[in-house]
Amino acid sequence: MYTKQALGKKDIKNKFTISLILLKFTFHTRRPTMIFLNTTYVSPLLEQTLLENNVAIYDTQRQIFLKTTQEQKTAILNSEDAFSAFKIHFPDTKTTKLAELLKNKISFRKHLATQQSDFFFKEITFAELHTVDVNTFPYPVIIKPAIGYSSLGVYRINHADHFKHICDTLKETMLLTMDLSHLNEQLFLIESFIPGQEFAIDMYYNEELEPVVLNVFTRLFKDAHDMSDRIYYTSKETLESYLTPITEYLTKLRTIFQIEESLPLHIELRIDGFGKIMPIEINPLRFAGEGTTELGHFAYNVNPYDYFFNNKQPNWQALIEQMDDAIYCFTCAVLDTPLSDAFEIDHSELKKHFHQLLEYRHLPKEVGATFAVIFYKCDTLEALQPILTLDFDAFLTLKQQQGVTNA
């Protein structure tokens, strides 16, 4: 057992804190596990769960072990960026090879094509976008980078007349992260738009290779062109309607990709009006990023890290019976333009727009465009409409200059 110790905000940001505190406890975990931890941001729930469990911890920022155990049978990442460190330590394993196949959206689609041969997709470089015959595509289509995560560089094209405009917008977006010569060589995927309701699933295959679902989140869009991560939600109705068919599909998915070991996954998929399930992408070795996987902890008291570390399976029937009828949501607050040093965000004013706020988390600037993850609940889906149209740039304010006094 351990003695619980509260950590302040300064402690959470201090990369040395976890390594010092971890050594003070005795742990009890059912199976040896390792986490590749991007310590730029560690969510409060993950930090506490690491304190309570015997998990080997590798700090990907400082490239050192904060804690080791005698054996590691499974691994998980808390960030997409941590995969490069994982590959260095496990360069030639089956898990690494499978993860690389899944992370590359082109190889992922090619593999799925053995089961879904009627699905259109095309591999193309950015330079080739200017010369391709745009009239040959079965619109609407989606264009996205072959490798990447979140919604960066993902656009819907409804017909050929919009192709050039979308490519110009894509160019502007991608040039924020790379130069033009590099961009021209980058691979992109053009694929059929997948109709239906979109879901995000956090799950793992246990030691018996059975799918263990930990989260089912529904994605909410502002309109047909919206590709942002503005709102995901879950509810009693969501779980009652979709948990069973999704779990059954995940059993088939293991066979398609020949998954032969315990593995955590974050899966995005769509279910159409006929109940057909089509995966959009599979993110290996992690759950939903920046702590958003913890929405389930608020909604149905499932700590996904604890369940994975200890090879536990939720008793969904009991959990669903205990849920209320509220809709539990998270919003990733993202700026349209990078935050300059002259401005700051008025978090207090932004909080006022979330009337049943569960937790508001500031994210450090180093994380990227997302400056806050907001957990909240509401009574109806209609109540979420104002959040879908909220302009986060409107909460930027000029910093007050130090030493300036009134004349």
Side-chain angles (χ1 to χ4, degrees):
M1 298 297 293
Y2 70 96
T3 302
K4 186 174 180 180
Q5 178 173 341
L7 302 179
K9 291 182 179 179
K10 291 183 179 179
D11 294 322
I12 293 173
K13 294 179 181 179
N14 187 340
K15 294 179 180 179
F16 294 88
T17 300
I18 296 178
S19 57
L20 293 174
I21 294 176
L22 284 172
L23 301 178
K24 300 179 182 178
F25 303 112
T26 301
F27 305 90
H28 302 281
T29 305
R30 295 182 182 177
R31 63 174 178 178
T33 308
M34 180 177 184
I35 185 168
F36 286 82
L37 193 70
N38 183 337
T39 50
T40 302
Y41 175 71
V42 180
S43 71
L45 181 62
L46 175 56
E47 183 175 25
Q48 184 61 35
T49 308
L50 290 175
L51 294 176
E52 297 172 355
N53 287 273
N54 187 22
V55 178
I57 304 173
Y58 183 81
D59 182 338
T60 64
Q61 299 300 104
R62 289 188 289 156
Q63 300 181 14
I64 59 171
F65 277 96
L66 301 182
K67 187 180 188 305
T68 60
T69 56
Q70 292 183 345
E71 180 186 9
Q72 293 89 43
K73 292 178 64 177
T74 60
I76 191 170
L77 323 174
N78 77 320
S79 152
E80 188 75 16
D81 296 337
F83 182 67
S84 57
F86 176 87
K87 280 203 325 182
I88 292 172
H89 286 81
F90 303 101
D92 298 313
T93 65
K94 288 183 179 180
T95 299
T96 303
K97 292 176 181 178
L98 175 61
E100 289 182 318
L101 183 152
L102 296 173
K103 284 170 64 64
N104 186 306
K105 296 176 178 62
I106 295 172
S107 63
F108 168 72
R109 278 289 167 224
K110 287 180 177 178
H111 199 89
L112 272 178
T114 60
Q115 306 291 323
Q116 299 165 331
S117 58
D118 59 339
F119 186 79
F120 169 83
F121 67 94
K122 180 178 179 62
E123 174 183 355
I124 192 168
T125 66
F126 184 83
E128 292 171 335
L129 290 175
H130 303 292
T131 58
V132 68
D133 185 355
V134 300
N135 294 304
T136 61
F137 298 140
Y139 297 96
V141 295
I142 298 292
I143 184 169
K144 55 187 174 182
I147 297 178
Y149 79 106
S150 188
S151 302
L152 181 67
V154 181
Y155 295 94
R156 172 173 169 166
I157 309 176
N158 285 328
H159 48 77
D161 292 343
H162 281 179
F163 195 91
K164 183 180 184 305
H165 170 71
I166 293 298
C167 288
D168 289 342
T169 304
L170 174 64
K171 180 178 178 180
E172 293 177 8
T173 300
M174 301 306 294
L175 286 179
L176 295 174
T177 61
M178 65 185 71
D179 59 41
L180 183 58
S181 60
H182 190 198
L183 174 60
N184 281 329
E185 299 173 353
Q186 290 300 297
L187 286 174
F188 286 80
L189 179 68
I190 298 175
E191 64 181 16
S192 295
F193 172 76
I194 302 171
Q197 179 65 64
E198 185 167 331
F199 297 88
I201 313 300
D202 288 327
M203 57 84 62
Y204 72 94
Y205 290 101
N206 63 18
E207 294 175 353
E208 290 74 38
L209 301 181
E210 300 167 334
V212 178
V213 177
L214 302 174
N215 283 317
V216 179
F217 302 154
T218 307
R219 189 175 184 181
L220 192 61
F221 296 98
K222 178 175 61 177
D223 53 42
H225 299 281
D226 184 18
M227 294 291 150
S228 70
D229 296 324
R230 176 62 64 96
I231 294 178
Y232 285 82
Y233 70 87
T234 190
S235 65
K236 189 172 189 176
E237 181 181 356
T238 297
L239 292 168
E240 288 176 337
S241 300
Y242 296 105
L243 179 62
T244 297
I246 286 173
T247 303
E248 291 173 352
Y249 177 77
L250 294 175
T251 300
K252 300 176 184 176
L253 198 68
R254 185 189 71 80
T255 302
I256 293 173
F257 286 97
Q258 299 178 331
I259 298 172
E260 299 174 353
E261 52 196 312
S262 183
L263 185 71
L265 298 171
H266 175 69
I267 301 174
E268 297 173 14
L269 54 82
R270 287 200 173 205
I271 304 178
D272 67 17
F274 301 99
K276 180 180 179 181
I277 298 179
M278 173 71 82
I280 300 170
E281 60 182 53
I282 300 177
N283 300 281
L285 295 169
R286 69 172 179 88
F287 299 141
E290 297 171 343
T292 57
T293 184
E294 297 162 29
L295 177 61
H297 191 241
F298 292 100
Y300 32 79
N301 199 31
V302 168
N303 177 343
Y305 316 114
D306 177 65
Y307 274 75
F308 174 70
F309 292 153
N310 293 293
N311 198 32
K312 297 192 299 186
Q313 182 164 345
N315 181 346
W316 280 115
Q317 182 176 350
L319 292 172
I320 292 171
E321 288 178 356
Q322 294 168 10
M323 290 178 68
D324 59 22
D325 293 326
I327 299 169
Y328 288 80
C329 320
F330 75 76
T331 284
C332 291
V334 181
L335 295 173
D336 291 332
T337 55
L339 181 63
S340 73
D341 293 334
F343 288 86
E344 60 187 359
I345 297 159
D346 189 343
H347 293 281
S348 297
E349 191 64 29
L350 177 55
K351 287 180 184 179
K352 295 177 183 178
H353 291 263
F354 299 87
H355 303 300
Q356 298 186 63
L357 186 65
L358 299 172
E359 188 171 345
Y360 187 104
R361 296 180 182 174
H362 298 232
L363 267 59
K365 188 175 179 181
E366 294 78 12
V367 168
T370 303
F371 65 82
V373 172
I374 308 163
F375 297 97
Y376 55 102
K377 64 180 182 177
C378 60
D379 299 322
T380 65
L381 288 177
E382 289 73 19
L384 296 174
Q385 293 304 310
I387 306 299
L388 286 172
T389 56
L390 202 59
D391 179 10
F392 292 124
D393 284 29
F395 298 93
L396 289 174
T397 60
L398 278 170
K399 289 183 178 178
Q400 293 184 354
Q401 296 182 0
Q402 297 293 325
V404 175
T405 59
N406 294 327

